[in-house]
Each structure stands twice: as C-alpha cells, then as structure tokens.
Amino acid sequence: MITLSTKQRRNIVHHLIRCGILGAFGLYIVYLARTGTLVLFVEPNLAVPVKLSAIGLFATAIYQFQSAVQEWQGIEAAACDCNHEPPRSLLANLVVYTLFLLPLAIGIIF
C-alpha cells in the first residue's frame, strides 16, 4: 500500500482538476466546431487555429493526468523544477479555478 503525504495528495488533486478543466475546454471547442457554431465566437479566419488549439489542450490535459499518476506513484518530477506550487489557501484556489470554470460554464449553459 502506498502512503501519500498531504502535499502529494494536494498535488494530485490539483493536477486532476487542471486535467479536467483543460479537457473540458478542448471538448467544448470540438463541440462548437461539430455544431458549426464556432464562427459565432471567433473570426472565421481563426477557426482553423482554434480547432488546432483543441489538440494542444488535450495534450496538456494528458500531461496533467500523467503528472497526477506520477505523483501518486511517488516518481520524482522532472529535473527542470518548473512546476508551480498551488496556493495553500482554499479561497485562493477556488478563485483561480473559478476564473477558468466560469467562462466554460457560461458557454455550456447558454
């Protein structure tokens, strides 16, 4: 049985939340493209780059999921030390994630 520290559990949760948000944005772009409503949100000349950005969002979501799995397995992060620690405050985390979830929720609801 793997015992995880509180810091590892926090990091896993943050990686999974980021994975979900990035994947949801990618799926939303794909949905808009499939329904033909993407041009209501972006300039028609930019529709192709926005569609391609969904691939980047999916790739980044996969990376975040991989980071969560590696953290769960206890594998050390890359030597670049380029990860940013999330804020310790629950309120700060809610504000940051709400800034990303609010536009997504508004787009899905309306």
XYZ file of all heavy atoms in Angstrom:
854
model
N 0.843 -1.179 0.000
C 0.000 0.000 0.000
C 0.886 1.239 0.000
O 1.822 1.345 0.780
C -0.897 -0.034 1.241
C -1.765 1.145 1.401
S -3.418 0.625 1.061
C -4.229 2.153 0.922
N 0.570 2.160 -0.861
C 1.333 3.401 -0.960
C 0.727 4.423 0.006
O -0.475 4.671 -0.022
C 1.291 3.952 -2.395
C 1.927 2.972 -3.365
C 1.971 5.301 -2.467
C 1.803 3.366 -4.803
N 1.572 4.987 0.861
C 1.100 6.053 1.737
C 1.527 7.388 1.147
O 2.694 7.593 0.833
C 1.669 5.896 3.160
O 3.083 5.776 3.071
C 1.080 4.680 3.840
N 0.577 8.251 0.993
C 0.832 9.545 0.383
C 0.816 10.630 1.447
O -0.021 10.615 2.351
C -0.235 9.866 -0.669
C -0.334 8.900 -1.844
C -1.542 9.234 -2.688
C 0.918 8.933 -2.668
N 1.710 11.563 1.301
C 1.714 12.697 2.214
C 0.606 13.668 1.817
O 0.019 13.571 0.737
C 3.070 13.407 2.167
O 3.244 14.052 0.919
N 0.324 14.596 2.702
C -0.704 15.598 2.425
C -0.339 16.427 1.199
O -1.194 16.739 0.366
C -0.887 16.515 3.648
O -1.200 15.702 4.778
C -1.993 17.514 3.425
N 0.937 16.762 1.072
C 1.387 17.545 -0.084
C 1.176 16.770 -1.379
O 0.737 17.338 -2.383
C 2.860 17.908 0.082
C 3.409 18.728 -1.049
C 4.880 19.037 -0.871
C 5.397 19.793 -2.077
N 6.820 20.015 -2.026
N 1.474 15.476 -1.374
C 1.278 14.670 -2.575
C -0.203 14.591 -2.937
O -0.563 14.687 -4.110
C 1.838 13.260 -2.369
C 3.347 13.191 -2.385
C 3.838 11.803 -2.065
O 3.365 11.168 -1.121
N 4.790 11.326 -2.848
N -1.064 14.408 -1.932
C -2.500 14.355 -2.208
C -2.999 15.670 -2.788
O -3.798 15.688 -3.724
C -3.272 14.001 -0.945
C -3.211 12.525 -0.609
C -4.113 12.241 0.537
N -3.544 12.844 1.730
C -3.258 12.198 2.843
N -3.527 10.930 2.937
N -2.732 12.823 3.865
N -2.526 16.796 -2.225
C -2.913 18.110 -2.758
C -2.477 18.252 -4.202
O -3.233 18.733 -5.049
C -2.276 19.232 -1.924
C -2.979 19.541 -0.638
C -2.367 20.727 0.090
N -2.417 21.933 -0.711
C -1.339 22.627 -1.093
N -0.137 22.251 -0.745
N -1.467 23.719 -1.810
N -1.235 17.855 -4.492
C -0.726 17.972 -5.865
C -1.515 17.097 -6.826
O -1.805 17.509 -7.952
C 0.753 17.631 -5.915
C 1.615 18.710 -5.324
O 1.201 19.861 -5.196
N 2.826 18.356 -4.935
N -1.877 15.896 -6.394
C -2.668 15.000 -7.250
C -4.023 15.631 -7.565
O -4.461 15.645 -8.715
C -2.831 13.616 -6.580
C -1.491 12.882 -6.560
C -3.888 12.787 -7.297
C -1.487 11.634 -5.699
N -4.674 16.164 -6.542
C -5.980 16.797 -6.751
C -5.855 17.975 -7.711
O -6.672 18.135 -8.634
C -6.593 17.233 -5.400
C -7.792 18.140 -5.610
C -6.968 16.019 -4.578
N -4.836 18.799 -7.533
C -4.660 19.956 -8.419
C -4.374 19.525 -9.856
O -4.917 20.118 -10.797
C -3.549 20.868 -7.897
C -3.956 21.696 -6.728
N -4.787 22.786 -6.835
C -3.674 21.575 -5.411
C -4.989 23.309 -5.655
N -4.329 22.589 -4.759
N -3.560 18.500 -10.030
C -3.290 18.009 -11.386
C -4.569 17.479 -12.033
O -4.824 17.720 -13.217
C -2.222 16.920 -11.374
C -0.835 17.405 -11.157
N -0.230 18.326 -11.981
C 0.081 17.110 -10.205
C 0.992 18.573 -11.545
N 1.201 17.843 -10.463
N -5.382 16.768 -11.263
C -6.616 16.223 -11.823
C -7.634 17.320 -12.141
O -8.336 17.234 -13.155
C -7.214 15.189 -10.865
C -6.412 13.896 -10.727
C -7.035 12.993 -9.673
C -6.292 13.180 -12.058
N -7.706 18.343 -11.307
C -8.602 19.472 -11.600
C -8.153 20.171 -12.882
O -8.974 20.478 -13.759
C -8.651 20.457 -10.418
C -9.376 19.836 -9.238
C -9.328 21.766 -10.828
C -9.295 20.644 -7.962
N -6.851 20.406 -13.005
C -6.331 21.046 -14.221
C -6.590 20.179 -15.440
O -6.946 20.686 -16.508
C -4.832 21.303 -14.061
C -4.512 22.335 -13.026
C -3.032 22.390 -12.770
N -2.726 23.253 -11.627
C -1.564 23.268 -11.012
N -0.588 22.485 -11.418
N -1.377 24.055 -9.988
N -6.415 18.872 -15.297
C -6.687 17.947 -16.399
C -8.142 18.056 -16.834
O -8.438 18.125 -18.030
C -6.358 16.522 -15.954
S -6.837 15.243 -17.123
N -9.053 18.086 -15.874
C -10.474 18.195 -16.191
C -10.831 19.498 -16.879
O -11.590 19.517 -17.850
N -10.270 20.602 -16.385
C -10.563 21.911 -16.979
C -10.036 21.982 -18.409
O -10.745 22.406 -19.336
C -9.985 23.043 -16.115
C -10.753 23.143 -14.795
C -10.038 24.379 -16.861
C -10.122 24.089 -13.790
N -8.797 21.556 -18.624
C -8.217 21.604 -19.969
C -8.959 20.682 -20.924
O -9.232 21.048 -22.069
C -6.729 21.227 -19.905
C -5.835 22.252 -19.215
C -4.479 21.631 -18.903
C -5.669 23.477 -20.079
N -9.304 19.491 -20.462
C -10.070 18.568 -21.298
C -11.444 19.112 -21.638
O -11.931 18.955 -22.758
N -12.077 19.770 -20.662
C -13.405 20.346 -20.905
C -13.342 21.465 -21.939
O -14.219 21.568 -22.808
C -13.996 20.858 -19.593
N -12.312 22.315 -21.865
C -12.166 23.356 -22.883
C -11.937 22.739 -24.262
O -12.498 23.201 -25.261
C -11.024 24.308 -22.535
C -11.444 25.485 -21.715
C -11.072 25.579 -20.388
C -12.207 26.496 -22.253
C -11.456 26.664 -19.616
C -12.608 27.585 -21.499
C -12.228 27.668 -20.172
N -11.128 21.694 -24.326
C -10.905 21.016 -25.603
C -12.189 20.421 -26.156
O -12.492 20.558 -27.347
N -12.960 19.768 -25.286
C -14.230 19.188 -25.720
C -15.222 20.262 -26.147
O -15.987 20.065 -27.096
C -14.828 18.339 -24.601
C -14.147 17.005 -24.337
C -14.740 16.339 -23.104
C -14.263 16.096 -25.545
N -15.199 21.395 -25.465
C -16.106 22.492 -25.824
C -15.761 23.034 -27.212
O -16.660 23.302 -28.014
C -16.055 23.591 -24.765
C -17.058 24.687 -24.984
C -18.418 24.402 -25.048
C -16.663 26.004 -25.134
C -19.353 25.398 -25.245
C -17.597 27.009 -25.333
C -18.941 26.698 -25.393
O -19.864 27.685 -25.604
N -14.492 23.171 -27.512
C -14.084 23.636 -28.845
C -14.506 22.623 -29.906
O -15.020 22.995 -30.971
C -12.570 23.900 -28.898
C -12.225 25.122 -28.049
C -12.097 24.091 -30.336
C -10.737 25.350 -27.867
N -14.320 21.343 -29.624
C -14.737 20.302 -30.572
C -16.251 20.350 -30.761
O -16.748 20.251 -31.894
C -14.281 18.906 -30.088
C -14.913 17.802 -30.901
C -12.763 18.812 -30.138
N -16.995 20.525 -29.677
C -18.452 20.627 -29.770
C -18.872 21.806 -30.641
O -19.746 21.679 -31.501
C -19.058 20.742 -28.361
C -20.514 21.105 -28.369
C -21.485 20.160 -28.670
C -20.926 22.401 -28.081
C -22.825 20.495 -28.688
C -22.259 22.747 -28.093
C -23.208 21.795 -28.396
O -24.535 22.127 -28.429
N -18.250 22.966 -30.407
C -18.585 24.143 -31.206
C -18.247 23.928 -32.678
O -18.999 24.354 -33.566
C -17.852 25.377 -30.674
C -18.303 25.906 -29.321
C -17.397 27.058 -28.881
C -19.747 26.337 -29.350
N -17.135 23.272 -32.943
C -16.748 23.021 -34.335
C -17.706 22.040 -35.005
O -18.076 22.225 -36.169
C -15.323 22.484 -34.384
N -18.113 21.004 -34.271
C -19.001 19.994 -34.848
C -20.406 20.538 -35.109
O -21.065 20.115 -36.062
C -19.093 18.769 -33.926
C -17.789 18.042 -33.702
C -17.392 17.215 -34.826
N -18.283 16.072 -34.918
C -18.206 15.172 -35.844
N -17.275 15.250 -36.758
N -19.037 14.176 -35.885
N -20.861 21.456 -34.262
C -22.201 22.013 -34.437
C -22.208 23.217 -35.380
O -23.271 23.740 -35.696
C -22.811 22.425 -33.085
O -21.964 23.390 -32.461
C -23.015 21.223 -32.188
N -21.030 23.680 -35.782
C -20.944 24.803 -36.700
C -21.127 26.156 -36.045
O -21.311 27.161 -36.736
N -21.086 26.205 -34.735
C -21.291 27.466 -34.033
C -19.986 28.123 -33.599
O -20.021 29.158 -32.930
C -22.196 27.268 -32.799
O -21.607 26.270 -31.962
C -23.591 26.832 -33.212
N -18.872 27.565 -33.977
C -17.579 28.146 -33.588
C -17.407 29.538 -34.172
O -16.848 30.423 -33.522
C -16.435 27.235 -34.032
C -15.040 27.653 -33.635
C -14.898 27.665 -32.112
C -14.007 26.728 -34.239
N -17.936 29.764 -35.377
C -17.782 31.072 -36.021
C -18.596 32.162 -35.316
O -18.405 33.339 -35.586
C -18.149 31.020 -37.522
C -17.164 30.163 -38.281
C -19.560 30.523 -37.719
N -19.478 31.779 -34.407
C -20.195 32.774 -33.612
C -19.305 33.349 -32.506
O -19.601 34.407 -31.960
C -21.446 32.166 -32.979
C -22.513 31.652 -33.947
C -23.628 30.958 -33.181
C -23.062 32.793 -34.784
N -18.228 32.637 -32.182
C -17.355 33.043 -31.089
C -16.010 33.582 -31.556
O -15.375 34.350 -30.845
C -17.112 31.857 -30.145
C -18.341 31.410 -29.430
C -19.125 30.392 -29.951
C -18.737 32.013 -28.254
C -20.265 29.977 -29.300
C -19.877 31.604 -27.594
C -20.647 30.587 -28.124
N -15.553 33.145 -32.716
C -14.246 33.580 -33.225
C -14.387 34.022 -34.682
O -15.334 33.649 -35.385
C -13.174 32.472 -33.124
C -12.927 32.074 -31.686
C -13.537 31.269 -33.954
N -13.443 34.807 -35.116
C -13.373 35.245 -36.509
C -13.251 34.010 -37.412
O -12.501 33.090 -37.107
C -12.140 36.140 -36.672
C -11.840 36.571 -38.070
C -12.854 37.547 -38.612
O -13.448 38.296 -37.820
O -13.043 37.548 -39.833
N -14.001 33.953 -38.521
C -13.933 32.781 -39.406
C -12.514 32.439 -39.877
O -12.196 31.269 -40.062
C -14.824 33.172 -40.586
C -15.802 34.129 -40.001
C -15.040 34.898 -38.957
N -11.655 33.465 -40.037
C -10.280 33.180 -40.449
C -9.474 32.483 -39.355
O -8.447 31.877 -39.631
C -9.568 34.472 -40.846
C -10.161 35.091 -42.089
O -10.777 34.403 -42.907
N -9.998 36.390 -42.236
N -9.920 32.600 -38.113
C -9.212 31.983 -36.993
C -9.817 30.656 -36.562
O -9.375 30.068 -35.576
C -9.194 32.938 -35.797
C -8.398 34.218 -35.978
C -8.562 35.110 -34.757
C -6.936 33.900 -36.200
N -10.804 30.176 -37.281
C -11.475 28.933 -36.888
C -10.516 27.744 -36.923
O -10.531 26.912 -36.015
C -12.679 28.674 -37.790
N -9.684 27.661 -37.937
C -8.750 26.535 -38.039
C -7.729 26.554 -36.905
O -7.515 25.517 -36.260
C -8.070 26.506 -39.432
C -6.970 25.453 -39.476
C -9.096 26.236 -40.511
N -7.074 27.693 -36.602
C -6.147 27.682 -35.464
C -6.830 27.364 -34.130
O -6.244 26.702 -33.276
C -5.560 29.090 -35.440
C -5.715 29.607 -36.824
C -6.964 28.966 -37.344
N -8.065 27.797 -33.958
C -8.780 27.479 -32.716
C -9.067 25.984 -32.649
O -8.927 25.366 -31.585
C -10.076 28.310 -32.607
C -10.942 27.825 -31.464
C -9.743 29.781 -32.423
N -9.440 25.391 -33.771
C -9.649 23.941 -33.797
C -8.359 23.196 -33.475
O -8.369 22.204 -32.740
C -10.175 23.505 -35.167
C -11.580 23.949 -35.453
C -11.977 23.561 -36.864
C -13.312 24.136 -37.256
N -13.673 23.823 -38.650
N -7.252 23.683 -34.006
C -5.964 23.047 -33.714
C -5.559 23.238 -32.255
O -4.851 22.390 -31.698
C -4.882 23.599 -34.650
C -5.018 23.225 -36.119
C -3.959 23.946 -36.954
C -4.913 21.731 -36.303
N -6.003 24.331 -31.649
C -5.669 24.550 -30.240
C -6.321 23.496 -29.348
O -5.819 23.219 -28.257
C -6.087 25.947 -29.798
O -7.488 26.047 -29.696
N -7.416 22.896 -29.808
C -8.041 21.823 -29.035
C -7.079 20.651 -28.877
O -7.044 20.006 -27.824
C -9.336 21.374 -29.701
N -6.274 20.397 -29.897
C -5.274 19.327 -29.809
C -4.267 19.643 -28.718
O -3.900 18.771 -27.914
C -4.571 19.123 -31.171
C -5.576 18.659 -32.211
C -3.426 18.116 -31.047
C -5.049 18.674 -33.629
N -3.822 20.899 -28.664
C -2.897 21.318 -27.615
C -3.513 21.220 -26.230
O -2.835 20.832 -25.263
N -4.790 21.563 -26.116
C -5.473 21.439 -24.831
C -5.563 19.985 -24.392
O -5.338 19.667 -23.215
C -6.866 22.059 -24.913
C -6.914 23.581 -24.991
C -8.306 24.051 -25.365
C -6.491 24.190 -23.676
N -5.873 19.090 -25.331
C -5.931 17.669 -24.988
C -4.550 17.142 -24.587
O -4.427 16.365 -23.645
C -6.490 16.848 -26.145
C -7.962 17.030 -26.368
C -8.455 17.260 -27.630
C -8.852 16.980 -25.313
C -9.807 17.423 -27.848
C -10.218 17.151 -25.506
C -10.690 17.367 -26.785
N -3.509 17.583 -25.300
C -2.151 17.143 -24.967
C -1.750 17.629 -23.579
O -1.146 16.878 -22.794
C -1.156 17.648 -26.017
N -2.096 18.858 -23.243
C -1.774 19.394 -21.931
C -2.580 18.696 -20.846
O -2.077 18.440 -19.748
C -2.016 20.911 -21.896
O -1.360 21.516 -23.012
C -1.490 21.526 -20.623
N -3.822 18.351 -21.139
C -4.647 17.606 -20.175
C -4.039 16.229 -19.909
O -3.983 15.775 -18.765
C -6.075 17.474 -20.691
N -3.555 15.587 -20.955
C -2.910 14.284 -20.789
C -1.647 14.418 -19.948
O -1.372 13.585 -19.078
C -2.611 13.654 -22.166
C -3.907 13.245 -22.846
C -1.674 12.452 -22.033
C -3.761 12.869 -24.302
N -0.888 15.487 -20.169
C 0.319 15.723 -19.366
C -0.037 15.923 -17.893
O 0.637 15.404 -16.999
C 1.086 16.935 -19.898
C 2.250 17.312 -19.022
C 3.423 16.563 -19.047
C 2.169 18.389 -18.146
C 4.491 16.889 -18.232
C 3.231 18.723 -17.326
C 4.391 17.969 -17.372
O 5.441 18.287 -16.552
N -1.111 16.666 -17.620
C -1.531 16.874 -16.236
C -1.969 15.553 -15.595
O -1.668 15.292 -14.436
C -2.672 17.899 -16.162
C -2.252 19.313 -16.433
C -1.309 19.846 -15.369
O -1.476 19.597 -14.181
N -0.308 20.584 -15.799
N -2.654 14.720 -16.359
C -3.048 13.414 -15.841
C -1.823 12.551 -15.562
O -1.751 11.892 -14.523
C -3.985 12.706 -16.830
C -4.499 11.400 -16.325
C -5.475 11.371 -15.353
C -3.994 10.204 -16.804
C -5.952 10.160 -14.863
C -4.453 8.992 -16.324
C -5.441 8.972 -15.351
N -0.861 12.596 -16.471
C 0.383 11.845 -16.270
C 1.121 12.343 -15.027
O 1.659 11.554 -14.260
C 1.281 11.961 -17.494
C 2.608 11.270 -17.331
C 3.591 11.616 -18.427
O 3.389 12.549 -19.185
N 4.669 10.867 -18.503
N 1.113 13.644 -14.806
C 1.760 14.201 -13.616
C 1.069 13.721 -12.343
O 1.728 13.431 -11.345
C 1.744 15.732 -13.668
O 2.514 16.199 -14.743
N -0.264 13.618 -12.375
C -1.007 13.119 -11.211
C -0.658 11.657 -10.944
O -0.444 11.269 -9.787
C -2.503 13.279 -11.440
N -0.575 10.862 -12.000
C -0.233 9.444 -11.835
C 1.186 9.298 -11.294
O 1.436 8.486 -10.392
C -0.410 8.683 -13.171
C 0.167 7.282 -13.090
C -1.881 8.647 -13.557
N 2.122 10.078 -11.829
C 3.498 10.007 -11.344
C 3.590 10.433 -9.886
O 4.339 9.841 -9.110
C 4.419 10.871 -12.207
C 4.715 10.269 -13.550
C 5.616 11.146 -14.391
O 5.783 12.332 -14.125
N 6.194 10.554 -15.428
N 2.846 11.454 -9.502
C 2.833 11.891 -8.105
C 2.272 10.787 -7.224
O 2.778 10.521 -6.136
C 2.003 13.168 -7.974
C 2.043 13.795 -6.615
C 3.275 14.630 -6.374
O 3.791 15.228 -7.332
O 3.724 14.682 -5.217
N 1.226 10.108 -7.684
C 0.630 9.018 -6.927
C 1.595 7.853 -6.771
O 1.639 7.210 -5.728
C -0.655 8.572 -7.613
C -1.348 7.455 -6.885
C -2.002 7.541 -5.694
C -1.445 6.104 -7.301
N -2.506 6.307 -5.352
C -2.175 5.408 -6.320
C -0.982 5.412 -8.417
C -2.463 4.052 -6.420
C -1.265 4.065 -8.512
C -1.991 3.399 -7.521
N 2.394 7.591 -7.817
C 3.362 6.502 -7.768
C 4.631 6.881 -7.010
O 5.468 6.031 -6.748
C 3.732 6.060 -9.188
C 2.594 5.406 -9.921
C 2.939 5.091 -11.362
O 3.879 5.649 -11.925
N 2.173 4.208 -11.972
N 4.773 8.158 -6.688
C 5.948 8.604 -5.952
C 7.148 8.876 -6.829
O 8.270 8.988 -6.328
N 6.938 9.001 -8.123
C 8.028 9.283 -9.054
C 8.350 10.762 -8.982
O 7.466 11.607 -9.019
C 7.643 8.878 -10.493
C 7.384 7.374 -10.552
C 8.730 9.283 -11.476
C 6.817 6.908 -11.870
N 9.636 11.067 -8.883
C 10.071 12.468 -8.803
C 9.766 13.199 -10.100
O 9.829 12.637 -11.184
C 11.568 12.552 -8.521
C 11.943 12.171 -7.119
C 11.423 13.138 -6.086
O 11.443 14.360 -6.338
O 10.967 12.670 -5.033
N 9.466 14.488 -9.975
C 9.183 15.322 -11.148
C 10.463 15.542 -11.943
O 11.562 15.197 -11.500
C 8.589 16.652 -10.720
N 10.309 16.129 -13.104
C 11.455 16.397 -13.974
C 12.474 17.290 -13.264
O 12.145 18.042 -12.356
C 10.986 17.061 -15.261
N 13.708 17.207 -13.693
C 14.800 17.940 -13.047
C 14.740 19.443 -13.307
O 15.483 20.194 -12.697
C 16.136 17.388 -13.528
N 13.850 19.891 -14.197
C 13.804 21.306 -14.527
C 13.248 22.151 -13.385
O 13.437 23.353 -13.361
C 12.986 21.554 -15.789
S 11.222 21.269 -15.575
N 12.551 21.532 -12.458
C 11.950 22.232 -11.318
C 11.069 23.390 -11.802
O 11.129 24.491 -11.293
C 13.037 22.728 -10.365
C 12.467 23.077 -8.998
O 11.428 22.501 -8.633
O 13.061 23.926 -8.318
N 10.264 23.115 -12.823
C 9.455 24.162 -13.439
C 7.998 24.135 -12.998
O 7.205 24.923 -13.478
C 9.549 24.070 -14.967
S 9.104 22.445 -15.598
N 7.622 23.231 -12.120
C 6.246 23.211 -11.632
C 6.036 24.315 -10.617
O 6.910 24.618 -9.819
C 5.925 21.863 -10.990
C 5.749 20.772 -12.010
O 5.431 21.042 -13.158
N 5.960 19.534 -11.602
N 4.849 24.896 -10.661
C 4.499 25.938 -9.714
C 3.583 25.340 -8.665
O 2.603 24.689 -8.990
C 3.799 27.094 -10.423
C 4.645 27.732 -11.476
N 5.653 28.600 -11.172
C 4.647 27.613 -12.819
C 6.232 29.000 -12.290
N 5.638 28.405 -13.305
N 3.918 25.577 -7.426
C 3.091 25.078 -6.335
C 1.785 25.856 -6.294
O 1.780 27.075 -6.403
C 3.830 25.233 -5.006
C 5.032 24.336 -4.863
C 4.665 22.863 -4.813
O 3.644 22.521 -4.193
O 5.388 22.067 -5.419
N 0.670 25.164 -6.121
C -0.607 25.876 -5.997
C -0.662 26.600 -4.653
O 0.019 26.215 -3.700
C -1.640 24.756 -6.069
C -0.908 23.507 -5.751
C 0.513 23.726 -6.124
N -1.479 27.642 -4.571
C -1.597 28.355 -3.297
C -2.113 27.425 -2.198
O -2.857 26.493 -2.458
C -2.615 29.455 -3.587
C -2.728 29.531 -5.059
C -2.297 28.223 -5.615
N -1.719 27.691 -0.983
C -2.167 26.874 0.144
C -3.601 27.206 0.552
O -4.308 26.366 1.089
C -1.245 27.081 1.339
C 0.083 26.414 1.203
C 0.632 26.172 2.606
N 1.836 25.375 2.659
C 1.900 24.070 2.481
N 0.820 23.414 2.172
N 3.026 23.425 2.584
N -4.033 28.407 0.292
C -5.351 28.862 0.717
C -6.445 28.243 -0.150
O -6.371 28.262 -1.381
C -5.416 30.381 0.627
O -6.738 30.820 0.739
N -7.464 27.715 0.506
C -8.597 27.157 -0.220
C -9.329 28.244 -1.002
O -9.727 28.040 -2.152
C -9.565 26.471 0.748
C -10.822 25.876 0.124
C -10.453 24.770 -0.847
C -11.754 25.371 1.197
N -9.459 29.429 -0.417
C -10.116 30.540 -1.097
C -9.356 30.951 -2.358
O -9.963 31.176 -3.410
C -10.268 31.726 -0.154
C -10.976 32.953 -0.723
C -12.400 32.609 -1.107
C -10.937 34.089 0.265
N -8.040 31.022 -2.260
C -7.229 31.382 -3.431
C -7.380 30.339 -4.535
O -7.490 30.685 -5.718
C -5.772 31.537 -3.040
N -7.403 29.074 -4.169
C -7.589 28.013 -5.166
C -8.960 28.098 -5.809
O -9.096 27.929 -7.026
C -7.398 26.637 -4.523
C -5.953 26.334 -4.241
O -5.082 26.632 -5.057
N -5.687 25.767 -3.085
N -9.991 28.361 -5.001
C -11.336 28.499 -5.557
C -11.418 29.664 -6.537
O -12.043 29.553 -7.594
C -12.356 28.683 -4.437
C -12.734 27.436 -3.659
C -13.639 27.797 -2.487
C -13.391 26.424 -4.549
N -10.786 30.769 -6.205
C -10.803 31.934 -7.091
C -10.101 31.613 -8.409
O -10.618 31.898 -9.493
C -10.166 33.162 -6.401
C -9.914 34.284 -7.394
C -11.034 33.640 -5.261
N -8.937 31.003 -8.317
C -8.159 30.700 -9.527
C -8.914 29.735 -10.428
O -9.049 29.957 -11.638
C -6.766 30.141 -9.151
C -6.069 29.569 -10.366
C -5.920 31.212 -8.512
N -9.424 28.647 -9.871
C -10.116 27.665 -10.698
C -11.461 28.194 -11.197
O -11.900 27.847 -12.292
C -10.282 26.345 -9.954
C -8.958 25.615 -9.774
C -8.564 25.133 -8.549
C -8.096 25.429 -10.845
C -7.351 24.483 -8.385
C -6.877 24.789 -10.702
C -6.518 24.309 -9.468
O -5.321 23.672 -9.320
N -12.118 29.046 -10.416
C -13.381 29.641 -10.860
C -13.160 30.559 -12.062
O -14.021 30.632 -12.943
C -14.042 30.408 -9.701
O -14.269 29.498 -8.619
C -15.364 31.018 -10.128
N -12.021 31.233 -12.109
C -11.722 32.091 -13.263
C -11.698 31.295 -14.565
O -12.006 31.816 -15.634
C -10.389 32.810 -13.066
C -10.373 33.929 -12.039
C -8.947 34.445 -11.852
C -11.281 35.056 -12.472
N -11.322 30.037 -14.483
C -11.299 29.191 -15.677
C -12.633 28.473 -15.890
O -13.046 28.249 -17.026
C -10.167 28.165 -15.581
C -8.812 28.783 -15.721
C -8.069 29.099 -14.607
C -8.285 29.070 -16.960
C -6.821 29.681 -14.716
C -7.044 29.656 -17.099
C -6.311 29.964 -15.967
N -13.291 28.098 -14.808
C -14.542 27.357 -14.936
C -15.734 28.228 -15.292
O -16.672 27.763 -15.944
C -14.829 26.599 -13.640
C -13.940 25.399 -13.376
C -14.196 24.847 -11.986
C -14.158 24.331 -14.425
N -15.726 29.485 -14.902
C -16.859 30.370 -15.150
C -17.132 30.559 -16.652
O -18.277 30.378 -17.089
C -16.652 31.713 -14.452
C -17.830 32.659 -14.453
C -19.013 32.036 -13.730
C -17.447 33.968 -13.791
N -16.127 30.904 -17.481
C -16.424 31.030 -18.914
C -16.883 29.714 -19.541
O -17.752 29.700 -20.413
C -15.099 31.481 -19.532
C -14.247 31.912 -18.418
C -14.758 31.260 -17.186
N -16.308 28.625 -19.066
C -16.702 27.320 -19.590
C -18.158 27.009 -19.213
O -18.939 26.577 -20.063
C -15.770 26.239 -19.032
C -15.908 24.833 -19.561
C -15.615 24.804 -21.052
C -14.964 23.914 -18.824
N -18.526 27.268 -17.981
C -19.890 27.032 -17.540
C -20.887 27.927 -18.271
O -21.963 27.471 -18.674
C -19.991 27.250 -16.030
N -20.534 29.183 -18.459
C -21.418 30.115 -19.189
C -21.607 29.646 -20.629
O -22.722 29.671 -21.159
C -20.870 31.546 -19.132
C -21.004 32.100 -17.714
C -21.580 32.458 -20.132
C -20.309 33.424 -17.508
N -20.524 29.192 -21.253
C -20.623 28.707 -22.621
C -21.490 27.460 -22.732
O -22.258 27.307 -23.693
N -21.389 26.583 -21.769
C -22.179 25.342 -21.811
C -23.651 25.628 -21.510
O -24.546 25.084 -22.144
C -21.588 24.304 -20.836
C -20.239 23.834 -21.363
C -22.524 23.134 -20.644
C -19.453 22.977 -20.406
N -23.902 26.509 -20.546
C -25.289 26.792 -20.149
C -26.036 27.545 -21.247
O -27.193 27.256 -21.546
C -25.317 27.589 -18.831
C -24.856 26.687 -17.692
C -26.705 28.137 -18.547
C -24.619 27.417 -16.382
N -25.381 28.529 -21.843
C -26.066 29.327 -22.848
C -25.730 28.851 -24.225
O -26.165 29.229 -25.203
C -25.704 30.817 -22.681
C -26.142 31.377 -21.355
C -25.225 31.769 -20.419
C -27.495 31.464 -21.051
C -25.623 32.287 -19.207
C -27.890 31.987 -19.833
C -26.963 32.394 -18.900
